Amino acid sequence: MMEKAHKMNKMGTEKISKLLLTMGVPMIISMVVQAVYNIVDSYFVSCMEDPNIPALGDYAVNALTLAFPIQMLMVAVGVGTGVGINSILSRSLGEGNKEKCSKISGNSIFLALCTCIVFVLFGIFGVDAYIASQTSDPIITSMAVSYLKICTYSSLGVSMYMIFEKLLQATGYTMQTTVAQIVGAVVNMILDPIMIFGWCGCPKLGIDGAAIATVIGQFISFFIDAYFYFRCNSKHFDTSLKYIKPEGKIIKQIYQVGIPAIIMQALMSILTYSINVIFVRVSTDAVTAYGIYYKIQQFVFFAAFGMNNAMIPIIAFNYGMQDKKRVNQGIKYGLIFTVSILCAGIIILQIFAEQILGIFSLSQSTTELAMLAIRIITPGFVFVGANIAYQGIFQALGNGVHSLILSLVRLIVVPLPLAYIISCFDFASSIIWIAFPIGEAVAFVIALIFMAHIRRKKISPIQSPVQQ
């Protein structure tokens, strides 16, 4: 059965470097498109005007920045659960266990429904208090609360599309997930100005229009991914909904890798929320500048996450096959490609920072701070590339806790206390950005130590590669 699965699935036969590119490039494209429409949201709301409210665009971008951690958290739960699904589903495919694959897939859909219910409840009971903890400005509060409630009430779209996307990626259907995400993103980008500014006969909805456009795009991606899932994955195992019945053993296995991955992904939400709270001690402009920088940074980070998403099923599949050579090749080329993406990001952002920031309709002080953030933070991207790659490697080999620790160090343990200390000084706005690359550098050293341990315990004991 294992040999049959090995022959049938390209993850066990195709050249690793080529496989990473053929699976990774579609994922990179889809992730970059995701970053594009995050930027588009910010661009269009930055263009909002009201003669009674000077600098309304700055207020609107600030509102999106405050709401963004919860949007990230919704994605984090989906992606983190998906990482667990991806890891154990790919390994089960490598082992040739079709019945277990069906149970994993059915339980995954059940978990997506549960996730949606949680975020709807947060939208009803928690949004007002959450926004109030970051700002007391009535204009920003009103816009942020309205935007976030629409997103949480309609979280079924993002919850389901993230799970179906991971189910497809685990079986190697990355082009299909790319199509789904691109179509959803394009619809979002088309609807954004129509709904925000009231074009084509649509009512002028302002920031609510941005939220509605986002939700519609997510539902479209969900529907397309679901169609491809039932059409494509049925070639490998039974995709019928009878497997949606929850099974404790399967859910436990998903979350053994998934919970650390969820926490790891959620750390980005915690980081952004905490940075908002810390930076407001410096200035409101600093919060807005960080929000803009963060959206720009996503172009590069999301591309690296796309390669990360390709690495996980490839390494996990071949680890399930106990093919030592292919596991090592997956690690080697995954690191090379991911670090290369981040190095390209350094060059592009350093050269074109002024032109990129010029897209947004922001005040001069906010633009200057965002420029400073780019100049100081981006050289640390070389460490980011390695850290993202190592996190994927650890997850693929079932070491989710190691990924979690790495994320804690790079996102919380080092940068937040350092940023808080710097915020106490008058010159904080000039150097507070240094907290981020320092956090990445410290995490990189820890990643090297973890990798040496995991290689000794899990990879070196593999007796010999599977004979082709």
Side-chain angles (χ1 to χ4, degrees):
M1 178 68 77
M2 285 179 62
E3 182 65 22
K4 182 179 179 181
H6 179 74
K7 288 180 180 178
M8 289 178 62
N9 198 296
K10 64 182 180 180
M11 290 189 290
T13 58
E14 195 167 300
K15 186 178 178 182
I16 291 291
S17 57
K18 179 182 177 183
L19 187 60
L20 273 169
L21 291 174
T22 55
M23 288 181 63
V25 169
M27 292 188 191
I28 290 169
I29 293 171
S30 69
M31 295 295 283
V32 169
V33 169
Q34 176 79 22
V36 167
Y37 83 77
N38 285 340
I39 283 283
V40 167
D41 264 1
S42 296
Y43 166 71
F44 283 121
V45 300
S46 76
C47 295
M48 289 170 55
E49 294 180 349
D50 188 324
N52 299 315
I53 307 175
L56 179 62
D58 276 29
Y59 283 119
V61 172
N62 196 297
L64 288 187
T65 301
L66 301 188
F68 196 57
I70 297 301
Q71 290 181 283
M72 290 171 61
L73 185 61
M74 289 191 282
V75 173
V77 174
V79 170
T81 303
V83 166
I85 294 163
N86 204 329
S87 180
I88 68 167
L89 182 56
S90 295
R91 273 182 277 161
S92 297
L93 281 169
E95 294 163 0
N97 192 337
K98 293 186 177 182
E99 178 70 12
K100 185 175 181 181
C101 289
S102 297
K103 290 180 179 180
I104 292 167
S105 297
N107 278 254
S108 301
I109 297 170
F110 169 78
L111 293 174
L113 294 171
C114 293
T115 299
C116 171
I117 292 170
V118 170
F119 281 108
V120 169
L121 291 174
F122 175 80
I124 296 171
F125 299 109
V127 165
D128 293 274
Y130 164 78
I131 296 298
S133 69
Q134 300 177 85
T135 184
S136 58
D137 187 290
I139 298 174
I140 296 174
T141 297
S142 175
M143 289 193 290
V145 167
S146 181
Y147 179 89
L148 192 51
K149 283 190 174 182
I150 292 170
C151 293
T152 52
Y153 291 165
S154 307
S155 59
L156 178 65
V158 66
S159 298
M160 294 299 286
Y161 110 70
M162 294 300 298
I163 294 302
F164 279 116
E165 179 180 77
K166 293 301 179 185
L167 288 171
L168 284 164
Q169 289 173 355
T171 48
Y173 293 105
T174 57
M175 184 59 72
Q176 285 79 358
T177 63
T178 301
V179 169
Q181 192 160 43
I182 288 176
V183 173
V186 169
V187 169
N188 184 345
M189 289 186 278
I190 292 171
L191 291 179
D192 254 338
I194 293 174
M195 293 186 165
I196 291 171
F197 304 119
W199 295 356
C200 304
C202 178
K204 184 177 179 179
L205 300 174
I207 201 166
D208 288 356
I212 294 169
T214 295
V215 167
I216 291 173
Q218 290 168 347
F219 269 95
I220 288 175
S221 294
F222 156 39
F223 294 143
I224 296 173
D225 272 335
Y227 167 77
F228 282 132
Y229 165 75
F230 288 108
R231 180 179 177 181
C232 299
N233 279 19
S234 59
K235 299 174 184 177
H236 302 279
F237 51 84
D238 187 353
T239 58
S240 62
L241 292 178
K242 67 182 181 180
Y243 290 102
I244 200 172
K245 181 180 179 181
E247 188 171 318
K249 183 179 179 181
I250 295 294
I251 292 174
K252 180 181 177 181
Q253 289 180 340
I254 290 173
Y255 281 127
Q256 279 178 336
V257 176
I259 285 180
I262 289 171
I263 296 172
M264 182 181 71
Q265 294 286 331
L267 291 179
M268 292 300 296
S269 296
I270 296 170
L271 171 68
T272 306
Y273 171 80
S274 302
I275 287 296
N276 289 343
V277 173
I278 292 171
F279 277 29
V280 80
R281 291 160 51 90
V282 179
S283 70
T284 302
D285 285 347
V287 176
T288 306
Y290 176 72
I292 289 296
Y293 161 76
Y294 191 88
K295 296 290 181 72
I296 294 170
Q297 159 192 285
Q298 284 186 317
F299 276 100
V300 186
F301 281 30
F302 276 24
F305 289 141
M307 183 56 66
N308 174 282
N309 289 342
M311 289 169 55
I312 292 173
I314 292 170
I315 295 173
F317 183 95
N318 287 284
Y319 183 68
M321 290 293 299
Q322 291 291 281
D323 190 329
K324 184 176 182 179
K325 180 180 178 182
R326 291 179 65 81
V327 169
N328 281 323
Q329 287 178 338
I331 292 170
K332 172 186 173 181
Y333 287 110
L335 276 165
I336 290 171
F337 293 156
T338 308
V339 173
S340 297
I341 290 169
L342 269 295
C343 287
I346 296 172
I347 296 169
I348 292 169
L349 291 181
Q350 286 288 338
I351 294 174
F352 299 107
E354 185 175 349
Q355 290 84 350
I356 293 170
L357 290 173
I359 294 171
F360 302 94
S361 300
L362 300 172
S363 65
Q364 183 64 29
S365 59
T366 300
T367 301
E368 289 174 356
L369 285 174
M371 177 75 73
L372 192 61
I374 291 173
R375 298 298 187 206
I376 294 175
I377 298 173
T378 55
F381 281 9
V382 65
F383 299 118
V384 176
N387 290 335
I388 290 174
Y390 279 124
Q391 286 174 197
I393 293 164
F394 299 159
Q395 290 164 354
L397 297 174
N399 294 91
V401 173
H402 291 74
S403 282
L404 172 59
I405 293 171
L406 193 60
S407 285
L408 278 169
V409 172
R410 61 184 284 255
L411 300 176
I412 304 295
V413 174
V414 175
L416 287 186
L418 186 55
Y420 180 82
I421 292 170
I422 295 172
S423 72
C424 298
F425 296 94
D426 293 337
F427 52 81
S429 62
S430 299
I431 65 167
I432 198 166
W433 318 99
I434 197 68
F436 300 104
I438 290 176
E440 296 290 352
V442 173
F444 172 67
V445 174
I446 294 172
L448 293 176
I449 296 170
F450 283 166
M451 189 67 243
H453 173 77
I454 291 170
R455 188 179 294 279
R456 185 171 63 253
K457 294 291 185 180
K458 286 198 167 184
I459 300 174
S460 295
I462 298 175
Q463 293 301 311
S464 62
V466 175
Q467 295 300 314
Q468 303 284 325

